[in-house]
Amino acid sequence: MVRTRTIIPILAAALLLASATLAAEEFESHYSSVAIENCRTVDKAKPGDGEWQVWACEGRAGLAVVRSAADLRETVSIGRSVAAARQEPAANAWFGPFNLAGDTIEWRKEKGAKAPFAVIQRWSVSDSENIDATGRPTPYGLLIVTRLPPGPVCHTAIIDVKENAEPNSLARKIADENARAFRCGTDPVLAAGNRGRAIELIRP
């Protein structure tokens, strides 16, 4: 009887682990660069019109990535064309603090599928209330999950990099489970996992 009681929990744990492993194997990631040097300028400010610029970068599965910068803040949007990407909700998803989008995008898709359903990108937001040793605002890292077509392109989740032990794994889990069903403009953007200063900065 003692042996049976010991074996049952072990079998249950093994089944749960196998289930989680199987679920992870249903998806895969691919990567692309949105570094400025790998993109082309498609629009920029005219003299006297401030300082802003828009770049088009090559994505995956025929999708275009549009990276925009103005007043030390960025947006990143994705669409079936550059024009379409610039009309998506993500193209207007500005953060209040100064920020910088990372140069690498992770594309999530089901294994064997042609089209990805979400992207994950790292961002840095500046904390002007806390100055570092160099005299500059302290940067904090975020991971942002964005849903892809069909349907609108918008942020679905944000993850505080510093406060979570495995932020990339958490971002993939959220993307895989929630991005496709997320309703842009209706569902609130999820602050997943542990929350720290990075979340406070963009959600005061």
Side-chain angles (χ1 to χ4, degrees), residues 133-155:
T134 68
R136 297 183 177 183
T138 302
Y140 287 89
L142 288 170
L143 287 176
I144 297 179
V145 179
T146 303
R147 78 175 310 282
L148 299 178
V153 176
C154 66
H155 297 169

Side-chain angles (χ1 to χ4, degrees), residues 12-134:
L15 287 172
L16 286 173
L17 179 61
S19 177
T21 302
L22 180 61
E25 291 177 348
E26 294 176 355
F27 303 98
E28 59 186 359
S29 291
H30 296 275
Y31 300 85
S32 68
S33 172
V34 291
I36 299 303
E37 59 268 24
N38 296 326
C39 305
R40 59 185 176 88
T41 300
V42 294
D43 203 359
K44 62 181 179 180
K46 297 177 176 58
D49 192 24
E51 293 186 8
W52 57 267
Q53 195 160 351
V54 180
W55 301 269
C57 316
E58 185 177 353
R60 303 279 303 189
L63 294 171
V65 180
V66 171
R67 182 173 181 172
S68 304
D71 191 28
L72 299 180
R73 297 171 176 86
E74 295 200 24
T75 65
V76 175
S77 187
I78 298 169
R80 302 191 187 281
S81 67
V82 172
R86 297 184 71 177
Q87 297 300 315
E88 294 288 354
N92 293 305
W94 299 95
F95 297 127
F98 296 146
N99 59 76
L100 183 67
D103 288 341
T104 301
I105 285 183
E106 178 179 357
W107 302 78
R108 291 295 285 176
K109 73 181 190 72
E110 293 182 357
K111 283 193 173 179
K114 292 183 179 180
F117 55 80
V119 295
I120 301 167
Q121 187 175 16
R122 182 159 181 162
W123 292 63
S124 176
V125 292
S126 296
D127 184 359
S128 59
E129 295 181 7
N130 293 286
I131 306 303
D132 64 18
T134 68

